Structure formats: structure tokens, C-alpha cells
Amino acid sequence: EPKTEKQDTVKRSSAWTLNFPLGEHVPSTIDTLLYNYQRQAIPSMQTDEFLTTGNLGAPSLTLTFADRPERGAFFFDRNLQTWMQTGRTQKFYNVYIPMTLASYNFGGNRESNQDRLRAVFAGNVNRRIGIGAHIDYLYSKGAYNYQAVKDYIYGFSGYYLGDRYEFQGFWDQNNMLNKENGGITNDLYITDPAVLQGGVDKIEPKAIPTNLTTAQSRLHASQFYMNHAYKIGYWQDEVVNDTLTRQIYIPVVKFVYAMDWKRGRHNFLNLQATEAQKFWCNTYFNDSETRDRTTYSALSNTVGIQMLEGFKPWVKFGLSAYLTYENRRYTQFKADSLTDASGTLTPLPEFYGSMKHKASQNLLWAGGRIDKSNGKHLTYAAEAKFGIMGDVAADLLLSGEATGRFRLFGDTVMIGAKVSFRNEEPGYLLNHYISNHFIWDNDFGKKRSLDIGGSLTIPWTNTRLDIAFSNVQNLIYFDSVSMPRQAGKSIHVFMARLHQELHFGIWNWNNTLTYQACTDQNTLPLPALSIYSNMYLSFRAFRVLQMQIGVDCDYYTRYNGYSYQPATTVFTLQNGPKVGNYAFCNAYITAKLYRTRFFVLWSHVNQGWFGNNYFAMPGYPLNPRRLQFGLSVDFAN
């Protein structure tokens, strides 16, 4: 019946992402789960250990080294990727009837309101053709002054999956505006405001002064990707029932052409000269205002051939080989003349005269992959990628992963393993960069890293254990004056993460413990232990209303911490006080009625209970206590 079909639409649908550069399908999920639906509204809890400047949509980075994304060619977008739509997160949907997933969450007051509207649409013309669209509008004034965020993200996708010809493509546009306050002027406004206010021990967050009042950064990032494939194979009869057969096409070899175009633009603006003189050590071109602009574009073309897995029963794996050529272009800040209104300009470095304001790179890679994605007991994949021409010559990427499944005590235990070795040229802008406050011209060597990891999942005890080991040579980091540096020695990082769920009737207690050990905390500061704990009641009310009522907390041990540089949107080392050793807790109610989810959230409910040292970084306090709400509807049109 139509009613039943609509109720089962999401369950019967499927989703996938792409494995680049050839566009193989990677199974994914459709976000309709109730569990922890409310966490999306908490800036500091997007992962279990999260570094943030404070506001939803603001620059941020996970504190688990094994989970950090690699810096790309345009380093400005790395610390905004949590909020961005990228090719790696682009989903395609196969739905039986059109589907729209829409959500809206809000909180705060008129001075600090936080609003986010998101929608995903997917529809199929027929079983071969599908289209999709998404939009994400985030506007948050922030709990503190001059930290507002406005993000407008949208995109479109489509595919055709024929017997012989396939097409997959998408276009994503990210428009991100961040007000940059440079942190509050004194941490005592949070930890002990009475010292600064003549005995008055309370202060409104919006009344706390900040280092910057007119600074802002803008990031525009676009990506257009299309993948064309032609399959060669044969027709084969398939038995439908005792009296009926049909012919199906069995592909053997696939020829692939893929085009990937990316564009990025970063702008930094500051109009307050007096604040700039106090905040930045160097000002090279204009001491009355800063208007930095850096652009990047990359066009890559890939041709490949694949032998497909399973076209005969004895063909247990697939093979592929490809060539990728990429042209990258950069433009940087160029001053028509020097503006020295107050006579405070910093002399230009000697090497500045030889630097280029426009540059391009022509790069060529060759790669191959072997994978087995079908099988009850074992799946695996291995890939090799070699740099052949340009700055990436002699680059090398080797990676492999395997997952084994076996029956034990009536359930399926999963064991996973992965290993990778990377020898890669750092991005052009890490070597050569020009702006009003920062100029560098480096000759960094290739970064080399060996990563080994494993996982164990035991269903009947609701246990998952992950371990990871990294050996990194020539790590590039930003020092305490926000300049890029390269470590001259190997740094070892070990991580072990235990996720354990406990259930007794309607009572549930889920815990994740992450331990990290780093051999050089001065170069790569990481908290030794972080904990996420969620205790909640889960039950069904009135037979149709699924409820989750609970309290969750984030905690990590004290560590050296980072600072933040607004002009380049990077996290840097700092010589100030350590941060951490503070539990950030929330009380919440989430519920699901048919295809509608909603939550009521009281975030940072424990503010002031055990001290007020709730800083992500010196100068950047976490959000104070606030009431927030959210609603999501899964429409089956």
C-alpha cells in the first residue's frame, strides 16, 4: 500500500560516497538516527575531543591525531572541513520515491542566537537515473562578541547507472564567513571576574572585551566532479523462477574518465589599525588596514581502466590502474604601494623580491588498486600511487586495509587492519606565502609518515577497540608566532580507543575512552586521555514515541594546548597556560515520532559547578550554559 511504502522509504533506500579518483562506490548511510541527534548543535562536541574557537561553524580540529585530515593544497580550508561539503562527504542516493530530509535547530537569545537550517533532497527518475540537492544555512552570532558565523553551503548531484555507460557528478559550493575576535582580552573574565570588576563576580558574555573587533575571514570553496565510465562485458541468462528467465549484463572491464575541478578563495579583512599593532608582530604593506586575498584553482583529469570483481565465480578481486594530470594555480596578495600612515611598517624580508605573486604547478601521478569488496569472511583493498612529474615527483602513497569476519558465540566478530606509507611534497602555500602580516619562503622537504591501525568489534558485549600508531618525519606545524616550521626528527604517536556500551532494560550507558602518547608534546601537543560518557534512558512512550533522555559529558586531561591565528585560520603552538581537565556536560531530551525527530538541549548544564576554567584555548572559552532546540522531518514525497 502507498502508506506502507512511504513509511519504509528510507529503510529501503541506499546511499554511497565515492572513492577517488576513479569513482568506485563506498556504501554509506542515510541520517535518520535518533541517538545523539542533539550533539550537532554543540560547537565543542562535533567529535569526542574537539578543538574549537567557540562558535558553531568556526575553525576547529579534532584532538585525536589519527583522525585529523591531511592538509591539502589550500591549507585555509583544513580547519573548516567539519562544516564544509566536500567530495569526500558527497552522498548519492537511490530511493524508491522522492525523499527530503529537512532539519532546523536554534538556541540562545537575540544577542547570541544560533540557527541552522539543512535539507537534503533525493529522487529517482527511474532505477538508473537519480538526482540530488542539498543546502546548509548556518547563522550564529556566538556567545561572545565579534565571533559571528554565517555559512551558506549548497550543491547538486546526479548519476546514470546503465548496463554499459555510467555517469556520476556533483557540484558543491561552500561560502563561509567568520568574524574573528582574536580571543578575549583576559581569561580572568571567565575564571575570576571579580578581580577585574572590583568584586563583582558575574559578567555577561557579550560584555567581555575581545582583542579584535573588525576582523573577519571569508572562505569560498567550490568543487565540480564528473565521472564517465564505459563497461565491456557479456549478456547472461538469470533464472527468476521455475518458468521465467531474464538476461542481465555482466561487465568485465570498465574504462573511466574523471574530471575534478576545485577552486578556493580566502580573504582576511581588518580595519582597526590600533588593534592590529597590538595583535600582530609584523605589518608589511599597510598599517591602517588589512585586505589579504589568496586564490587557488586545480583542474585534474584522470583516465583509468578497471577489471571488475566477480564477473566469473573464480574472479575474487578487482584491479585498476590510472593516470592523473593536474594543473594548480595560485594568486597571492600584491600591494600596489606601501601605506605607512603611522610609520610602523615592518621592513620586507630580503627574499621577498624573488617571490612570485602568481604561480602554477603541473603534476602527474600514476596509480593502481586491487580490492575485494564482496565476501562474507574477508574484504580487502590495497593501493599504490606514484608522483611522476612536477613538484610531486618521487611522491609515494602505499595503503592497504582488510576486514575479517568470523562467527563466535552465535554472533559475528569483526577484525580490521590498515597500514599506509606516505612520502609527499607539502603544499605550495606552506612554502611560499605573502600577506600583510605574514611572509614566508620555505624549502620544506617531503613529509614521510607510516600509519598502522587495527580494530576489533565484539557485538555481544557491545565493545569496539581501535588502535593506531603513527611515525611522522618532517612534520609541518605552526610555531608560537604563527610561522610554519618543519620538525627535524621523527615523532611517534600511539592511540588506543575503547568504546563500550552497557544496557539494562531502558537504562543505557555508553563510554568512549581515548588514550594518546606522543614523543614530542612541544611540537605536537595532544591530551593523554579523553572521555565521552553518555547515560540515558531509551524507551517508547504511547507505543509510537521513541524517547531518549539523558546526560552526556566530554572530558580530556590537561595539556599544552594551542592558540589560533585569525589571519591564516590555523592553530598554532602557544607558550601560555595549559588547558583541559574540565568536563563539559549537557542534559537533553530527544524523541522520534514516525519520521519526525526533535530535541530539547540544555548545553553546558554544569557551568560553575566545579570551577570556571572552561577554555578550548587560552583566550577562547567554550560556550556558557544555554537552552537549544532542534527539529528534523524525513519527508517521503
Side-chain angles (χ1 to χ4, degrees):
E1 295 180 2
K3 182 178 180 181
T4 303
E5 185 178 7
K6 284 190 176 184
Q7 290 175 346
D8 295 339
T9 295
V10 172
K11 294 181 181 179
R12 295 171 56 196
S13 303
S14 61
W16 67 90
T17 59
L18 300 180
N19 184 37
F20 293 88
L22 294 180
E24 299 97 338
H25 289 194
V26 179
S28 187
T29 58
I30 301 175
D31 180 23
T32 59
L33 294 178
L34 177 63
Y35 179 71
N36 273 356
Y37 168 52
Q38 79 289 345
R39 276 187 69 175
Q40 63 176 293
I42 305 173
S44 60
M45 295 185 72
Q46 301 302 304
T47 66
D48 290 345
E49 48 284 311
F50 204 57
L51 177 65
T52 174
T53 59
N55 200 6
L56 196 73
S60 52
L61 186 67
T62 178
L63 291 173
T64 303
F65 181 73
D67 297 337
R68 288 185 179 177
E70 291 288 331
R71 281 196 186 94
F74 197 60
F75 69 80
F76 299 101
D77 64 6
R78 184 202 191 195
N79 296 327
L80 291 170
Q81 288 186 15
T82 299
W83 321 104
M84 294 172 60
Q85 177 76 22
T86 66
R88 301 291 177 184
T89 56
Q90 175 66 53
K91 290 186 180 182
F92 296 81
Y93 299 89
N94 180 21
V95 295
Y96 288 83
I97 59 176
M99 174 189 74
T100 302
L101 309 179
S103 67
Y104 175 63
N105 63 67
F106 60 97
N109 54 37
R110 180 180 298 180
E111 299 289 328
S112 63
N113 64 290
Q114 174 182 299
D115 297 272
R116 191 176 190 183
L117 172 66
R118 290 190 289 179
V120 175
F121 168 79
N124 276 59
V125 178
N126 52 43
R127 65 186 181 90
R128 299 184 184 275
I129 302 174
I131 57 174
H134 65 86
I135 186 172
D136 185 353
Y137 179 75
L138 190 161
Y139 177 67
S140 178
K141 291 182 178 179
Y144 306 96
N145 265 334
Y146 309 110
Q147 63 167 193
V149 169
K150 183 164 70 173
D151 295 344
Y152 181 41
I153 300 167
Y154 60 92
F156 306 92
S157 62
Y159 64 85
Y160 172 80
L161 304 178
D163 291 327
R164 292 185 176 87
Y165 171 71
E166 290 183 359
F167 166 81
Q168 298 173 104
F170 64 84
W171 175 55
D172 288 327
Q173 177 69 42
N174 298 272
N175 305 285
M176 333 250 329
L177 172 63
N178 289 270
K179 297 289 186 180
E180 306 282 6
N181 66 14
I184 62 175
T185 57
N186 195 321
D187 290 356
L188 288 173
Y189 282 111
I190 297 294
T191 58
D192 194 359
V195 173
L196 302 176
Q197 300 185 121
V200 180
D201 61 357
K202 289 186 179 181
I203 185 172
E204 288 298 317
K206 286 290 185 178
I208 298 176
T210 60
N211 289 308
L212 301 175
T213 60
T214 64
Q216 66 179 40
S217 60
R218 286 181 180 268
L219 177 73
H220 297 270
S222 308
Q223 182 175 9
F224 173 69
Y225 175 84
M226 63 177 180
N227 179 292
H228 303 269
Y230 187 79
K231 296 173 287 187
I232 297 176
Y234 59 92
W235 292 95
Q236 176 177 289
D237 290 336
E238 180 186 56
V239 177
V240 179
N241 52 46
D242 293 338
T243 60
L244 181 64
T245 63
R246 65 180 179 183
Q247 281 198 321
I248 59 172
Y249 192 71
I250 307 297
V252 177
V253 177
K254 181 190 290 187
F255 296 92
V256 179
Y257 165 71
M259 187 197 79
D260 194 357
W261 176 78
K262 298 176 183 176
R263 183 178 66 180
R265 185 175 78 249
H266 173 259
N267 296 82
F268 177 71
L269 172 69
N270 180 56
L271 302 177
Q272 237 296 343
T274 304
E275 294 173 351
Q277 291 174 12
K278 296 179 181 178
F279 195 83
W280 285 282
C281 298
N282 299 313
T283 301
Y284 293 104
F285 301 104
N286 190 330
D287 61 2
S288 60
E289 64 177 21
T290 296
R291 294 182 182 270
D292 292 339
R293 176 185 171 94
T294 308
T295 68
Y296 154 81
S297 66
L299 176 63
S300 67
N301 291 277
T302 299
V303 292
I305 183 172
Q306 294 178 288
M307 183 193 76
L308 300 175
E309 175 187 358
F311 67 86
K312 291 292 186 182
W314 48 270
V315 180
K316 300 297 185 180
F317 56 83
L319 283 172
S320 61
Y322 60 87
L323 282 172
T324 298
Y325 169 77
E326 183 171 305
N327 175 258
R328 296 177 182 171
R329 297 178 181 272
Y330 306 87
T331 63
Q332 300 196 60
F333 175 84
K334 185 176 182 180
D336 297 327
S337 61
L338 301 182
T339 303
D340 196 359
S342 58
T344 59
L345 285 185
T346 307
L348 291 169
E350 292 183 4
F351 55 77
Y352 174 75
S354 62
M355 295 185 68
K356 299 178 180 179
H357 295 274
K358 292 186 177 182
S360 64
Q361 295 175 301
N362 293 291
L363 314 171
L364 181 66
W365 294 270
R369 179 180 173 89
I370 180 173
D371 65 281
K372 180 180 186 293
S373 57
N374 298 318
K376 291 183 178 180
H377 303 293
L378 177 67
T379 57
Y380 58 82
E383 184 173 355
K385 184 179 178 181
F386 308 90
I388 298 175
M389 184 183 76
D391 291 340
V392 299
D395 274 18
L396 174 63
L397 169 62
L398 302 173
S399 64
E401 59 182 345
T403 302
R405 304 169 182 84
F406 60 92
R407 300 286 293 180
L408 186 64
F409 300 122
D411 213 332
T412 301
V413 175
M414 293 179 57
I415 297 179
K418 58 183 179 180
V419 60
S420 69
F421 173 78
R422 310 173 77 99
N423 183 55
E424 294 182 305
E425 182 73 11
Y428 177 86
L429 293 174
L430 290 174
N431 273 322
H432 317 286
Y433 180 63
I434 304 170
S435 69
N436 195 29
H437 298 299
F438 296 97
I439 300 177
W440 60 70
D441 192 34
N442 301 312
D443 187 20
F444 289 147
K446 293 182 185 294
K447 174 190 171 185
R448 290 182 292 275
S449 62
L450 173 65
D451 301 295
I452 302 172
S455 64
L456 171 65
T457 303
I458 306 175
W460 66 84
T461 61
N462 296 305
T463 303
R464 179 181 172 93
L465 175 65
D466 297 285
I467 59 172
F469 171 79
S470 298
N471 177 13
V472 186
Q473 294 178 307
N474 294 337
L475 175 72
I476 295 176
Y477 63 97
F478 286 84
D479 64 15
S480 58
V481 293
S482 305
M483 295 291 285
R485 300 286 182 243
Q486 189 161 46
K489 59 181 179 180
S490 293
I491 300 174
H492 301 157
V493 182
F494 173 77
M495 185 275 289
R497 177 190 290 135
L498 174 66
H499 179 73
Q500 180 64 60
E501 299 180 4
L502 301 174
H503 308 287
F504 184 76
I506 65 173
W507 177 82
N508 302 265
W509 190 21
N510 298 348
N511 293 278
T512 302
L513 287 79
T514 303
Y515 169 77
Q516 293 183 101
C518 177
T519 58
D520 189 353
Q521 285 281 351
N522 293 324
T523 302
L524 183 60
L526 300 169
L529 179 67
S530 60
I531 301 171
Y532 172 69
S533 185
N534 186 8
M535 185 180 295
Y536 62 96
L537 303 177
S538 181
F539 57 94
R540 194 175 292 274
F542 310 109
R543 298 185 179 181
V544 293
L545 184 64
Q546 185 178 346
M547 300 284 293
Q548 181 182 327
I549 304 174
V551 176
D552 67 349
C553 296
D554 257 350
Y555 169 88
Y556 51 81
T557 52
R558 193 177 299 277
Y559 78 114
N560 291 337
Y562 292 85
S563 186
Y564 173 71
Q565 177 48 248
T568 53
T569 66
V570 297
F571 292 104
T572 71
L573 300 182
Q574 57 96 20
N575 300 317
K578 294 185 177 182
V579 295
N581 195 29
Y582 183 86
F584 187 97
C585 301
N586 316 278
Y588 65 89
I589 300 173
T590 62
K592 185 174 183 178
L593 179 64
Y594 299 117
R595 295 190 301 272
T596 300
R597 294 176 292 169
F598 55 90
F599 69 79
V600 178
L601 167 68
W602 200 13
S603 67
H604 202 174
V605 66
N606 62 312
Q607 180 189 358
W609 291 2
F610 309 106
N612 286 319
N613 197 21
Y614 47 90
F615 286 87
M617 298 175 289
Y620 288 91
L622 301 175
N623 277 355
R625 185 185 295 118
R626 63 163 53 183
L627 189 63
Q628 298 173 253
F629 305 88
L631 174 69
S632 176
V633 182
D634 310 329
F635 295 100
N637 297 329

